Amino acid sequence: MRIGELAARAGTTTRALRYYESRGLLAARRDTNGYRTYAEEDLELLRQLRTLQDFGFELEETRPFVECLRAGHPAGDDCPASLDVYRRKLAELEDCIAQLKAVRDEVRRRLARAEAAAAAEHGPDRVAVPEPLCEFAPETLSRP
């Protein structure tokens, strides 16, 4: 398939594909007219790249997964280098979660203090408690 078809099927742009190619993550073949051509395996590789990026992996962190796919591993994540990247990312996420929990606890303490002060000044019926918002809703993490 040509670059435009691959971009459309992968849900990305031809510019992004050329960038991936320049970074050595995507290898185009050339037909007799000099047009870039791609195989179905390239579509799977792009899906893997997009999923990893959606999970917060930097583009360079995806390289071991690409190499693992190219080496014939169907999932691209069971090679030693891919496993190392998973471990590093998991540690990074755990650290981020710990920091978010600490911030949440501090906000909770401040809210409790502020609500108590507001209730003491205005009475408990005048203090409204809004619904919490979360930008990390579970539906944003799932992708077909």
Side-chain angles (χ1 to χ4, degrees):
M1 77 187 88
R2 290 198 178 155
I3 193 168
E5 181 184 352
L6 179 62
R9 289 180 63 191
T12 189
T13 64
T14 57
R15 183 176 180 182
L17 298 182
R18 288 185 192 100
Y19 179 72
Y20 294 154
E21 186 179 341
S22 74
R23 304 291 300 167
L25 296 168
L26 183 64
R29 289 154 295 287
R30 300 285 180 158
D31 66 13
T32 56
N33 294 332
Y35 293 114
R36 290 175 172 89
T37 61
Y38 300 91
E40 286 295 320
E41 295 80 25
D42 296 315
L43 180 59
E44 183 54 40
L45 185 143
L46 286 171
R47 287 180 177 147
Q48 178 84 352
L49 281 175
R50 295 280 309 260
T51 298
L52 291 169
Q53 287 185 298
D54 288 348
F55 289 163
F57 288 75
E58 297 293 327
L59 189 59
E60 194 57 35
E61 290 177 308
T62 67
R63 187 173 301 282
F65 298 90
V66 170
E67 292 169 357
C68 192
L69 282 168
R70 286 184 182 153
H73 298 265
D77 63 357
D78 57 352
C79 295
S82 301
L83 295 170
D84 287 344
V85 172
Y86 271 154
R87 288 182 190 105
R88 282 193 305 271
K89 182 56 73 175
L90 187 58
E92 180 183 311
L93 289 169
E94 295 290 350
D95 184 52
C96 185
I97 290 167
Q99 290 176 29
L100 287 170
K101 284 181 177 180
V103 169
R104 179 198 60 199
D105 293 346
E106 179 61 23
V107 169
R108 185 178 284 142
R109 278 190 290 279
R110 289 177 180 222
L111 175 62
R113 181 196 44 79
E115 286 178 337
E121 184 176 335
H122 305 291
D125 295 337
R126 305 241 357 223
V127 179
V129 179
E131 288 293 318
L133 300 175
C134 182
E135 293 182 26
F136 300 104
E139 61 271 6
T140 64
L141 296 177
S142 63
R143 183 171 249 258

